[in-house]
Amino acid sequence: MKIKKGFVIRKVGDAHVVVPVGELSKTFHGMINLNETGAFLWKFFTAEHSVNEAVAALCAEYEVDEERARIDAEKFAEVLTKNSFIE
Amino acid sequence: MIYEIAGLRVEIANKHAYTTKFCGAYLSENQDLPAHLTASVTDAELQEEREASPGFSDGYIENICLYRSICRQIPTMRRFLLHASILECNGKAYAFLGRSGTGKSTHTKLWLRYVENTRVLNGDKPILEYCDGKFYAHGTPWQGKENWGYRGKAELCGLCFLEQAKVNEISKMSIGETSSRVFTQVLLPQDEENVLATLDLLDKLVESVPAYLLKCDISEDAVKCSFERLTGEAYAPKMKSED
């Protein structure tokens, strides 16, 4: 899966914020607040990747076991899909 | 015509006379020098605004759209629009923020009544500028329905979010809390470069300007509460004769 074009992500204060730009800003009003892991996964899915690849990336980046990483990655992918953030 | 707004030379391409009069005090004395940016409005934007604010004159509608056009272009010039009431007290600026109806203008009026050397720099839509690690609030012609403000700037020394309450109390806000609240009071541009610039400015704002949450009523005690925390000075009311 891959996040569609038209979002930017930036650190503001101690959170990571995603906002729409260009054409998307006319239809999607609002912003998304992400924590550290959320920001990592958001950036990871801006390129085409599978959930399995995200699990491996999380395990490599953070000191987490595969089970925990899978829960996070699957949950994140579900949120992305549910909100139509996927291409 | 070219106007000087928030330290920038702004060319305004208006069709209606409304804005010419509205911005009169900000007219540049030097019309021959180049402008930093040009504010213009498309017919589609006018139509959209007309639908959002029915019953207003075309000049008024165009005037709103022109300010939006300016504010969407300035983040890459280290400036952005903040929806707030800015009080200037002894050369320092304090921003009061909150959703419409939370009492920004009421609290502003209380400061004017009770605190010595206080003026409104902009009652509603100031532009903030980031320069050398500090933020400055600028007066602009667009200053809310009470039309409070003047052409000038002052260093921004505090953000104060307002909430109505029966007991007055003020507390320091965390950076996370501040950024999520401040977000709702900012005009986000549409093009990527200016959106990113806005986010970077907000990051600097929440890291460098202290922010407080003021729960307040409409008494003098509410002013004492915000004044002492924001300025760090002891509250001493104005002489009664000015009342």
Side-chain angles (χ1 to χ4, degrees), chain A residues 10-11 13-14 19 22 25 31, chain B residues 175-176 183 190 195 199-200 203:
Chain A
R10 216 56 158 197
K11 183 187 92 66
D14 45 21
V19 288
S25 69
M31 52 168 284
Chain B
I175 285 175
F183 243 98
Q190 291 173 326
V195 170
L199 298 178
D200 289 343
D203 182 48

Side-chain angles (χ1 to χ4, degrees), chain B residues 128-203:
Chain B
L128 300 191
E129 177 191 6
Y130 179 70
C131 187
D132 294 331
K134 290 176 177 171
F135 278 89
Y136 296 88
H138 285 268
T140 84
W142 292 267
Q143 48 194 22
K145 58 179 186 293
E146 285 95 356
N147 201 25
W148 288 336
Y150 63 93
R151 185 176 164 177
K153 73 164 181 176
E155 188 188 339
L156 183 65
C157 297
L159 300 169
C160 186
F161 291 86
L162 300 178
E163 268 179 20
Q164 291 175 5
K166 293 215 165 67
V167 178
N168 294 303
E169 56 178 349
I170 189 163
S171 54
K172 185 98 199 291
M173 278 169 53
S174 71
I175 285 175
E177 218 181 324
T178 309
S179 54
S180 62
R181 275 185 191 252
V182 86
F183 243 98
T184 62
Q185 306 301 330
V186 168
L187 175 82
L188 272 185
Q190 291 173 326
D191 68 292
E192 181 164 345
E193 224 187 329
N194 276 297
V195 170
L196 289 174
T198 305
L199 298 178
D200 289 343
L201 286 165
L202 290 178
D203 182 48

Side-chain angles (χ1 to χ4, degrees), chain B:
Chain B
M1 300 295 271
I2 294 176
Y3 300 85
E4 284 168 20
I5 297 165
L8 295 171
R9 296 176 54 75
V10 182
E11 182 176 12
I12 299 184
N14 54 311
K15 293 193 188 94
H16 298 277
Y18 188 101
T19 300
T20 310
K21 192 176 170 213
F22 188 85
C23 295
Y26 288 75
L27 190 65
S28 172
E29 288 174 12
N30 224 327
Q31 291 294 318
D32 300 330
L33 291 172
H36 292 101
L37 68 145
T38 302
S40 61
V41 182
T42 65
D43 288 340
E45 286 165 339
L46 286 174
Q47 189 50 37
E48 201 176 306
E49 188 57 40
R50 230 177 258 131
E51 282 160 20
S53 323
F56 288 97
S57 72
D58 286 355
Y60 178 91
I61 297 288
E62 182 189 49
N63 192 51
I64 292 176
C65 294
L66 284 166
Y67 195 40
R68 200 174 292 140
S69 164
I70 294 170
C71 293
R72 280 179 174 160
Q73 297 180 58
I74 57 175
T76 51
M77 302 170 201
R78 300 179 282 97
R79 291 158 171 88
F80 67 99
L81 169 80
L82 182 71
H83 183 206
S85 174
I86 305 278
L87 279 162
E88 182 261 297
C89 178
N90 296 318
K92 291 178 173 176
Y94 304 99
F96 293 86
L97 307 98
R99 261 181 249 117
S100 303
T102 45
K104 284 194 295 278
S105 41
T106 304
H107 198 72
T108 300
K109 272 184 209 155
L110 290 171
W111 268 62
L112 293 175
R113 182 165 168 198
Y114 292 115
V115 184
E116 206 95 52
N117 299 324
T118 301
R119 289 191 290 174
V120 181
L121 178 52
N122 185 302
D124 195 47
K125 292 185 172 68
I127 287 175
L128 300 191
E129 177 191 6
Y130 179 70
C131 187
D132 294 331
K134 290 176 177 171
F135 278 89
Y136 296 88
H138 285 268
T140 84
W142 292 267
Q143 48 194 22
K145 58 179 186 293
E146 285 95 356
N147 201 25
W148 288 336
Y150 63 93
R151 185 176 164 177
K153 73 164 181 176
E155 188 188 339
L156 183 65
C157 297
L159 300 169
C160 186
F161 291 86
L162 300 178
E163 268 179 20
Q164 291 175 5
K166 293 215 165 67
V167 178
N168 294 303
E169 56 178 349
I170 189 163
S171 54
K172 185 98 199 291
M173 278 169 53
S174 71
I175 285 175
E177 218 181 324
T178 309
S179 54
S180 62
R181 275 185 191 252
V182 86
F183 243 98
T184 62
Q185 306 301 330
V186 168
L187 175 82
L188 272 185
Q190 291 173 326
D191 68 292
E192 181 164 345
E193 224 187 329
N194 276 297
V195 170
L196 289 174
T198 305
L199 298 178
D200 289 343
L201 286 165
L202 290 178
D203 182 48
K204 292 192 176 87
L205 181 74
V206 301
E207 298 276 0
S208 62
V209 180
Y212 304 92
L213 177 63
L214 174 68
K215 295 185 175 170
C216 64
D217 58 17
I218 54 167
S219 69
E220 182 178 358
D221 188 50
V223 177
K224 180 177 186 286
C225 201
S226 61
F227 176 87
E228 293 196 332
R229 198 65 194 265
L230 285 167
T231 65
E233 289 165 28
Y235 174 73
K238 240 181 193 177
M239 289 312 204
K240 280 288 175 204
S241 61
E242 289 187 43
D243 238 342

Side-chain angles (χ1 to χ4, degrees), chain A:
Chain A
M1 60 169 60
K2 185 182 175 190
I3 292 170
K4 60 176 148 189
K5 284 201 173 61
F7 289 105
V8 294
I9 178 164
R10 216 56 158 197
K11 183 187 92 66
V12 176
D14 45 21
H16 296 264
V17 179
V18 174
V19 288
V21 294
E23 278 306 306
L24 195 61
S25 69
K26 291 170 190 165
T27 51
F28 179 89
H29 300 281
M31 52 168 284
I32 306 150
N33 252 312
L34 297 172
N35 62 15
E36 204 59 48
T37 319
F40 177 82
L41 287 171
W42 184 278
K43 287 173 190 164
F44 190 73
F45 283 120
T46 53
E48 179 65 48
H49 284 296
S50 67
V51 171
N52 282 338
E53 285 168 330
V55 173
L58 277 178
C59 291
E61 181 74 17
Y62 302 100
E63 284 179 14
V64 285
D65 55 64
E66 200 188 316
E67 200 183 339
R68 177 76 235 176
R70 184 162 299 278
I71 292 170
D72 285 349
E74 281 177 356
K75 207 166 132 197
F76 194 78
E78 194 190 315
V79 171
L80 291 180
T81 312
K82 221 188 257 173
N83 288 286
S84 318
F85 294 152
I86 299 301
E87 265 185 359

